C-alpha cells in the first residue's frame, strides 16, 4: 500500500494539488540563501489517544520553515496495520524547532565516478529527510571534467566518456530540484591542483604534456579560463558561496617546467608564493562575481594573513582548524576527515554523532563564525551502485548534531538515547526507498550480518 511505503511524505497528501502548486510557486520566488529562517512550530492535537492529519497545525515565517515542519510531521506519522490508517501516536505534540547551524551540508563527488542526474536527485531528496540544507557539488577533479561550460566548450572533453556529462540544463535542473527541498547547491572547482582533466580539451593549461598539474600559473590564459568558467557557473548557481578548492597542491611541476621556472625567477617568486598568488587571484575573480570564496584549509594553514577576509575556511585535515580560523576572524565549515568523511568506512555512527563543530571555541562571537559543517562523500570507491548505502544512515548522525541544540546531543548515553532514534530513522529511509545500510555494522556499506528486524540492525 502506498501509505505503508512512504507515510505522510508527499506534500499533496496534506495540501491538495492546487495548494501544492501555490507552495511550489512561493518556493520558486523566495530567495534561498545562507541563514534563511527555517524555524517552525508544530501542533498535533489529541483525539481519542491518537491524532489524525486534519488536526495538525504548522506555523513558520518562511516556506522553508514550513518544509522542515512538514518533514517533522511526516516522521511522526505511522501506518497502523490494525486499522489500516495513518496515525500519530503519543499526541498531543507541540514542537518549536529551529536549526543550530545555518550550514548543514553533504559533499558529493561526481568526478571520480559519474553519478546520473536521477541518482543526484535521489541523494538530494534523502538529504531533505534529515534537514540538510547544502549540497556541496564537487563536480570536477583531476580524473574527469563532466560539466558543460559554454564559453570553453572543449572542457568537457575531460569527461570519462561523452555519455558521462552534465549539460547546463542538467545543472539548472539539479539546482532547482534542490531549492524545492530547501537545499542550496554550492559548486566547486578545485584549483590550482586537482585540475589535470581541464587540459584534455585545452592542453595549454598544463605546465607541460608530461607535468599536468597544478594548472599553469604563468599564463594569463589560465586565469581567463577560470574567469570564463565562473561567469558561466554564476548563471547556474545562485548560492552566495563558491568553493575554489586549493588543497593538496604539489608545486614540483612548476619548479621543474622551464617556462614556469623562468616566470617565477622573473617575478622573484617561490613556488609556495606562486600557490598563494594563484589562490588569491582566483578569489578575486569569484568575489568580482558576487561570491564569497570557500577554500580547503591548506590555504589558511599556508598563508592565512593574506587570504581575503571574506574567505570561508573549510576544515578537513583534522581537529583544531576552526578555532584558529575564527580567532583570526574567518568563517569556518567543519568536515574533520577523522569523523565526517563517509568514504572512511571504518568510522562508526557514534563518532559521527559525537563530533562537535564548536570544540575548542568558547567565545560566543567566535562560535557565530562557524557556519556549520558537512559530511563528505568522496567517490573513489563509490558510484551509483553503493553511494546511498555509504551516505546513510551515518550522515543522519551528523545531521542531528548540526540541527539540534548542543545540550540535546551531548553528555548522555547515546546508546540509550540516540541509537534507537537512528535505528528508527534508518528504517524510515528504507521505507522511503533510500538504500540505507544497517546502523551498527563494523564497517559501513555492508549488508546485514544475519536475519533480524530493521529496528535492531
Amino acid at each position: 500500500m502506498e501509505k505503508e511505503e512512504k507515510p505522510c511524505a508527499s506534500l499533496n497528501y496534506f495540501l491538495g494539488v492546487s495548494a501544492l502548486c501555490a507552495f511550489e510557486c512561493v518556493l520558486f520566488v523566495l530567495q534561498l540563501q545562507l541563514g534563511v529562517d527555517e524555524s517552525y512550530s508544530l501542533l498535533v492535537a489529541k483525539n481519542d489517544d491518537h491524532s489524525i492529519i486534519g488536526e495538525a497545525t504548522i506555523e513558520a515565517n518562511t516556506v522553508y520553515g514550513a518544509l522542515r515542519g512538514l518533514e517533522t510531521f511526516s516522521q511522526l506519522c505511522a501506518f497502523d496495520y490494525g486499522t489500516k490508517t495513518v496515525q500519530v501516536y503519543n499526541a498531543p505534540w507541540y514542537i518549536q524547532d529551529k536549526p543550530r547551524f545555518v550550514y548543514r551540508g553533504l559533499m558529493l563527488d561526481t568526478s571520480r565516478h559519474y553519478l546520473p542526474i536521477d541518482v543526484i536527485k535521489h541523494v538530494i531528496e534523502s538529504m531533505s529527510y534529515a534537514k540538510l540544507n547544502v549540497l556541496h557539488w564537487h563536480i570536477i577533479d583531476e580524473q574527469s571534467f563532466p560539466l558543460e561550460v559554454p564559453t570553453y566548450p572543449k572542457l568537457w572533453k575531460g569527461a570519462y566518456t561523452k555519455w558521462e556529462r552534465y549539460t547546463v540544463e542538467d545543472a539548472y535542473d539539479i539546482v532547482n530540484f534542490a531549492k524545492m527541498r530547501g537545499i542550496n547547491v554550492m559548486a566547486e572547482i578545485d584549483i590550482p591542483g586537482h585540475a589535470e582533466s581541464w587540459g584534455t580539451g585545452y592542453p595549454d593549461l598544463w605546465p607541460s604534456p608530461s607535468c599536468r598539474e597544478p594548472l599553469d600559473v604563468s599564463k594569463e590564459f589560465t586565469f581567463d579560463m577560470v574567469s570564463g568558467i565562473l561567469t558561466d557557473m554564476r548563471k547556474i548557481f545562485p548560492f552566495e558561496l563558491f568553493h575554489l578548492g586549493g588543497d593538496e597542491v604539489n608545486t614540483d611541476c612548476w619548479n621543474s617546467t622551464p617556462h614556469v621556472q623562468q616566470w617565477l625567477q622573473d617575478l622573484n617568486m617561490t613556488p609556495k608564493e606562486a600557490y598563494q598568488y594563484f589562490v588569491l587571484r582566483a578569489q578575486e575573480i569569484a568575489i568580482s562575481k558576487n561570491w564569497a570564496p570557500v577554500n580547503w584549509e591548506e590555504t589558511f594553514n599556508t598563508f592565512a594573513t593574506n587570504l581575503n577576509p571574506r574567505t570561508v575556511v573549510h576544515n578537513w585535515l583534522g581537529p583544531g582548524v576552526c578555532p584558529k580560523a575564527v580567532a583570526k576572524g574567518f568563517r569556518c565549515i567543519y568536515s574533520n576527515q577523522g569523523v565526517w568523511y563517509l568514504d572512511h568506512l571504518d568510522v562508526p555512527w557514534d563518532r559521527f554523532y559525537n563530533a562537535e563543530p564548536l570544540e575548542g571555541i568558547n567565545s560566543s562571537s567566535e562560535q557565530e563564525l562557524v557556519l556549520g559543517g558537512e559530511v563528505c562523500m568522496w567517490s573513489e570507491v563509490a558510484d551509483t551502485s553503493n553511494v546511498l548505502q555509504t551516505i546513510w544512515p551515518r550522515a543522519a548522525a551528523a545531521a542531528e548534531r548540526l540541527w539540534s541544540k548542543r545540550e540535546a546531543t551531548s553528555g548522555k548515553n547515546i546508546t540509550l538515547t540516540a541509537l534507537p532514534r537512528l535505528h528508527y530513522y534508518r528504517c524510515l529511509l528504507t521505507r522511503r526507498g533510500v538504500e540505507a545500510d544497517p546502523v551498527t555494522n563494523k564497517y559501513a556499506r555492508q549488508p546485514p550480518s544475519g536475519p533480524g528486524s530493521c529496528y535492531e540492525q
Side-chain angles (χ1 to χ4, degrees):
M1 297 177 64
E2 181 65 23
K3 293 176 183 176
E4 175 185 342
E5 292 297 322
K6 194 172 180 179
C8 304
S10 174
L11 289 182
N12 60 337
Y13 187 84
F14 301 117
L15 301 173
V17 174
S18 60
L20 176 63
C21 292
F23 195 83
E24 290 179 346
C25 288
V26 173
L27 276 167
F28 185 76
V29 300
L30 182 65
Q31 186 80 354
L32 176 62
Q33 286 291 356
L34 203 64
V36 69
D37 189 347
E38 298 175 90
S39 65
Y40 67 90
S41 61
L42 168 63
L43 173 64
V44 181
K46 185 175 182 179
N47 182 18
D48 297 329
D49 297 324
H50 68 274
S51 180
I52 59 175
I53 290 169
E55 298 177 359
T57 303
I58 295 173
E59 295 182 354
N61 296 320
T62 71
V63 70
Y64 299 111
L67 274 176
R68 306 304 179 218
L70 283 168
E71 182 56 46
T72 295
F73 180 56
S74 77
Q75 294 181 27
L76 292 176
C77 297
F79 184 74
D80 186 292
Y81 285 85
T83 62
K84 297 184 180 180
T85 60
V86 175
Q87 298 187 2
V88 177
Y89 294 97
N90 299 320
W93 289 93
Y94 181 62
I95 299 170
Q96 285 186 305
D97 202 10
K98 64 180 180 179
R100 180 183 175 204
F101 291 103
V102 299
Y103 185 110
R104 306 179 306 281
L106 167 70
M107 192 283 296
L108 192 65
D109 172 12
T110 60
S111 172
R112 276 53 179 256
H113 279 99
Y114 174 84
L115 295 175
I117 293 295
D118 285 347
V119 175
I120 297 174
K121 287 182 175 180
H122 201 181
V123 171
I124 292 169
E125 188 79 55
S126 67
M127 289 173 63
S128 71
Y129 304 153
K131 300 188 178 74
L132 295 174
N133 70 344
V134 179
L135 174 70
H136 170 186
W137 191 2
H138 189 90
I139 312 175
I140 301 153
D141 211 291
E142 63 190 62
Q143 290 84 1
S144 73
F145 196 116
L147 181 69
E148 179 184 16
V149 178
T151 302
Y152 292 96
K154 295 179 183 179
L155 275 170
W156 69 352
K157 286 187 175 182
Y160 285 124
T161 67
K162 64 182 180 181
W163 300 283
E164 295 171 290
R165 291 173 167 175
Y166 304 107
T167 65
V168 169
E169 291 77 15
D170 289 334
Y172 273 121
D173 188 23
I174 289 297
V175 169
N176 290 327
F177 184 88
K179 182 178 181 180
M180 291 298 298
R181 288 146 185 82
I183 296 172
N184 283 298
V185 180
M186 178 178 70
E188 177 182 0
I189 60 171
D190 196 346
I191 52 178
H194 290 276
E196 180 180 338
S197 62
W198 296 35
T200 304
Y202 295 93
D204 283 349
L205 293 169
W206 293 332
S208 74
S210 61
C211 204
R212 299 182 172 186
E213 63 181 16
L215 294 171
D216 194 330
V217 67
S218 71
K219 293 177 181 175
E220 202 60 31
F221 175 64
T222 302
F223 296 98
D224 291 341
M225 175 77 72
V226 171
S227 182
I229 293 171
L230 265 60
T231 296
D232 285 353
M233 294 180 80
R234 196 57 171 122
K235 299 170 186 175
I236 303 170
F237 299 100
F239 189 40
E240 64 197 72
L241 303 180
F242 188 89
H243 208 302
L244 291 168
D247 63 315
E248 298 180 323
V249 178
N250 184 338
T251 59
D252 290 349
C253 199
W254 290 344
N255 217 24
S256 62
T257 305
H259 76 269
V260 180
Q261 191 177 47
Q262 185 62 52
W263 180 84
L264 292 171
Q265 290 176 1
D266 291 345
L267 295 179
N268 194 28
M269 192 181 291
T270 66
K272 181 179 177 180
E273 290 168 336
Y275 166 43
Q276 173 183 300
Y277 168 83
F278 196 113
V279 168
L280 297 185
R281 278 201 66 176
Q283 286 193 335
E284 289 173 4
I285 294 168
I287 290 168
S288 74
K289 303 182 190 309
N290 201 29
W291 267 317
V294 183
N295 283 100
W296 295 109
E297 69 172 72
E298 286 95 325
T299 58
F300 173 80
N301 295 338
T302 308
F303 44 88
T305 55
N306 293 319
L307 282 175
N308 189 285
R310 292 181 63 184
T311 302
V312 178
V313 177
H314 194 168
N315 152 248
W316 74 277
L317 286 171
V321 174
C322 281
K324 295 176 183 176
V326 299
K328 292 183 179 294
F330 293 105
R331 292 178 293 172
C332 193
I333 296 169
Y334 177 89
S335 290
N336 178 357
Q337 65 172 334
V339 288
W340 276 8
Y341 267 31
L342 293 159
D343 58 312
H344 292 194
L345 303 182
D346 59 339
V347 179
W349 74 271
D350 55 318
R351 289 183 64 188
F352 275 82
Y353 192 86
N354 285 325
E356 174 49 55
L358 297 185
E359 184 178 1
I361 305 172
N362 299 315
S363 163
S364 59
S365 61
E366 291 181 356
Q367 288 179 351
E368 290 175 1
L369 293 175
V370 178
L371 299 180
E374 72 176 35
V375 290
C376 296
M377 183 62 259
W378 298 105
S379 68
E380 284 90 345
V381 292
D383 65 4
T384 297
S385 68
N386 59 11
V387 66
L388 282 160
Q389 294 97 316
T390 313
I391 294 171
W392 304 109
R394 292 181 301 160
E400 181 166 306
R401 170 68 58 173
L402 290 167
W403 179 277
S404 299
K405 293 180 180 180
R406 188 172 185 176
E407 54 268 28
T409 56
S410 303
K412 299 177 181 179
N413 185 340
I414 62 172
T415 302
L416 298 177
T417 57
L419 182 57
R421 289 200 304 277
L422 196 56
H423 278 308
Y424 181 87
Y425 186 76
R426 183 251 172 168
C427 297
L428 180 144
L429 289 175
T430 60
R431 282 176 175 265
R432 293 183 176 185
V434 179
E435 297 88 344
D437 262 20
V439 176
T440 54
N441 280 353
K442 183 176 181 180
Y443 293 99
R445 205 166 67 198
Q446 298 265 330
S449 58
S453 166
C454 172
Y455 297 95
E456 296 176 354
Q457 294 180 329

